Amino acid sequence: MKDAIHWIETRTKFRPKTSLDYIDNALKMMNVNLDLIKKIHVTGTNGKGSVSMYLTHIFKFNGYKVGTFISPYLMRFNERIKINGQDIDDDSLLQLINKIFTFNEVYHEKTGQSLSFFELMTLMSIQMFSDEKVDLMIMEVGIGGLLDATNILNYDASVITNIGFDHMKQLGNTLEEISFNKLGIVKKHNHLFTTVDSKLHDYFKNYVDKKEATVKFIDETEVKIVNHYPNIIKYKGITYELGILGNYQALNAALAIEVSKFIDPSIQDDDILKGLKYTVYPGRLEEVLPEIFIDGAHNSHAIEALIKTLQQTFNRKKIHVLFSALADKEPKNMLDLLAPHVESIYVTGFDDPRYQSLHDLGYAFEADAYQALKTLIQTKNNGDIILITGSLHFIGYIKNDILPKLS
């Protein structure tokens, strides 16, 4: 299994984006029939995974067999492909990788081209959902939307959670440029659902009108936060308990509610209530040990949302942050946003080829993440909170490699 995962993870990560011709031709060669499967496509700067998992659980409770493709994973490669919210098992994953390995060889012989990592992953998920005869497939975009490998299908509903600054090298340096890329998932006569800020509504409406599509903007005034811990909201007069903490989950949940009712107008409120309540998504303000939380906020937009949640959820508690990030995510800006709202910050490192030392950012630095966390645990007062954040890859490393040493 390790060799199989190593093979696919060492493929070229992303092909330079000029068109989707390569993966489109590959999908035609695979000859899978997805006509009987409903499809939802999810993009956005933050919240994609949460919305995808809310939808997965809502439809699971409604009797659907649901396939979900998400990225990146937190602890295990298997997390990327799910059936009814459960990670693909090792045997099925190995079979899929072997199948896609053989397919990639044939594709190369016929075209002279090899497929990238994310193209292969997208095709693997499609193959799995076809083999499993799912009723609904939920596909999360990797980066952007317009030229993302997942954009080769026509979807029943397109979803854009929000727009913020991330992946600017690939997507552009303004909100409009980033919006244009993410709006690329909207095809002619499609139906878009979004929680983007109202200042982008006109831009979105003009784009959607040109596609002869429709757009549903979530009205923030209809979303009320009733309680923070547990997380309870009211939307359009109905009270929902959410299985994931965080104020920002209120809009994610409202988005999932609207999309689910569009996909299946007969869906029952009880199934929506159950789906939202029992959705678990590791790494989203998750309590991993008493008074120790991890959160995958990995850009300034997500950090700003996290700060608002911290202020409400842990009101009057002192918060100590253990932080690390990948160099291309503007770590200094994230740290400067956090600093006024927390008691202390420790910056550390982790095992990832894209990590570059953060020792010169002006914050206390300890290269060894285990030692840094141990120091925080030993020096914090009872009742204080430790928050580990900055990167999904970092919190995955903490869960896999560091937390077991503390038990």
Side-chain angles (χ1 to χ4, degrees):
M1 172 62 79
K2 286 183 179 179
D3 289 343
I5 292 175
H6 176 75
W7 172 78
I8 194 164
E9 285 193 319
T10 52
R11 299 308 92 198
T12 301
K13 282 293 178 187
F14 294 97
R15 185 189 302 280
K17 298 297 181 71
T18 55
S19 78
L20 293 175
D21 290 347
Y22 292 113
I23 187 168
D24 191 45
N25 290 335
L27 181 63
K28 289 172 182 172
M29 284 175 59
M30 283 175 59
N31 197 30
V32 293
N33 188 345
L34 307 174
D35 291 346
L36 299 179
I37 302 175
K38 293 181 183 291
K39 306 170 193 69
I40 300 173
H41 202 192
V42 184
T43 190
T45 303
N46 297 297
K48 300 187 297 291
S50 298
V51 171
S52 296
M53 293 312 295
Y54 283 138
L55 287 166
T56 297
H57 285 81
I58 287 170
F59 281 101
K60 180 183 76 170
F61 278 108
N62 200 48
Y64 280 65
K65 186 174 187 180
V66 186
T68 314
F69 175 57
I70 65 169
S71 63
Y73 67 89
L74 188 62
M75 294 183 68
R76 298 173 69 234
F77 189 90
N78 309 52
E79 295 169 29
R80 290 180 177 274
I81 301 175
K82 304 176 187 293
I83 301 294
N84 281 349
Q86 298 299 310
D87 301 344
I88 182 174
D89 62 72
D90 286 346
D91 288 343
S92 299
L93 178 59
L94 182 58
Q95 289 178 24
L96 263 185
I97 295 177
N98 285 335
K99 186 179 288 188
I100 210 69
F101 174 85
T102 301
F103 176 81
N104 193 49
E105 295 287 302
V106 172
Y107 181 84
H108 179 72
E109 288 175 11
K110 289 188 175 181
T111 67
Q113 300 290 331
S114 293
L115 295 162
S116 70
F117 165 78
F118 198 75
E119 288 169 335
L120 293 168
M121 285 302 308
T122 300
L123 294 173
M124 278 172 55
S125 67
I126 290 171
Q127 183 69 63
M128 179 73 174
F129 301 154
S130 173
D131 292 346
E132 287 288 321
K133 296 181 172 55
V134 300
D135 304 303
L136 169 71
M137 53 193 285
I138 301 166
M139 302 290 286
E140 181 186 329
V141 164
I143 294 179
L146 179 65
L147 294 175
D148 189 79
T150 58
N151 204 28
I152 52 173
L153 303 176
N154 197 20
Y155 293 84
D156 296 277
S158 302
V159 181
I160 301 177
T161 56
N162 51 48
I163 302 293
F165 292 104
D166 196 11
H167 298 296
M168 282 92 82
K169 184 178 179 181
Q170 295 94 341
L171 306 181
N173 294 309
T174 69
L175 291 179
E176 286 75 18
E177 287 176 328
I178 296 170
S179 295
F180 178 80
N181 202 299
K182 294 186 187 299
L183 279 164
I185 69 171
V186 180
K187 302 176 180 67
K188 195 169 184 178
H189 304 310
N190 273 182
H191 305 283
L192 172 65
F193 297 81
T194 183
T195 54
V196 292
D197 191 277
S198 58
K199 64 188 175 186
L200 288 170
H201 283 190
D202 286 345
Y203 185 90
F204 268 57
K205 189 72 168 62
N206 289 335
Y207 185 100
V208 168
D209 284 347
K210 289 175 183 175
K211 291 289 183 179
E212 300 177 46
T214 65
V215 59
K216 166 69 178 177
F217 297 107
I218 300 300
D219 184 352
E220 290 190 34
T221 64
E222 293 187 299
V223 184
K224 309 293 182 185
I225 296 173
V226 179
N227 195 63
H228 303 285
Y229 192 28
N231 197 4
I232 299 174
I233 69 165
K234 183 174 283 189
Y235 180 59
K236 292 186 173 180
I238 300 176
T239 301
Y240 302 90
E241 181 178 342
L242 309 184
I244 313 176
L245 292 177
N247 290 0
Y248 44 86
Q249 293 298 341
L251 285 175
N252 291 338
L255 196 53
I257 292 165
E258 291 294 343
V259 174
S260 61
K261 289 184 174 181
F262 172 80
I263 291 291
D264 185 351
S266 69
I267 200 162
Q268 299 298 304
D269 285 332
D270 279 352
D271 294 326
I272 296 176
L273 287 162
K274 289 175 188 173
L276 295 177
K277 181 176 180 177
Y278 294 109
T279 296
V280 177
Y281 197 25
R284 274 61 179 182
L285 207 58
E286 176 190 2
E287 190 168 15
V288 291
L289 289 173
E291 300 179 338
I292 300 178
F293 291 78
I294 61 173
D295 189 273
H298 58 281
N299 53 51
S300 297
H301 188 270
I303 289 290
E304 288 171 346
L306 177 60
I307 288 166
K308 292 178 184 176
T309 291
L310 295 175
Q311 291 170 335
Q312 297 291 339
T313 306
F314 305 122
N315 187 25
R316 298 189 182 91
K317 288 182 179 288
K318 291 181 179 179
I319 300 170
H320 306 272
V321 172
L322 181 62
F323 179 96
S324 196
L326 301 177
D328 64 345
K329 295 295 185 176
E330 299 186 313
K332 180 68 164 65
N333 190 45
M334 287 193 279
L335 286 164
D336 290 347
L337 287 169
L338 276 168
H341 305 282
V342 300
E343 186 71 12
S344 67
I345 294 177
Y346 245 121
V347 178
T348 189
F350 67 109
D351 185 18
D352 189 287
R354 292 164 295 171
Y355 168 78
Q356 296 175 16
S357 180
L358 307 177
H359 71 279
D360 59 350
L361 297 183
Y363 293 87
F365 181 80
E366 166 56 64
D368 187 323
Y370 171 71
Q371 188 58 51
L373 181 55
K374 193 174 177 182
T375 300
L376 281 176
I377 292 170
Q378 290 171 344
T379 57
K380 85 176 188 68
N381 294 320
N382 188 38
D384 288 0
I385 298 298
I386 293 175
L387 172 68
I388 304 168
T389 192
S391 163
L392 279 167
H393 300 276
F394 173 51
I395 64 171
Y397 169 74
I398 291 292
K399 287 193 80 169
N400 266 329
D401 294 78
I402 304 302
L403 291 181
K405 296 179 184 178
L406 296 173
S407 352

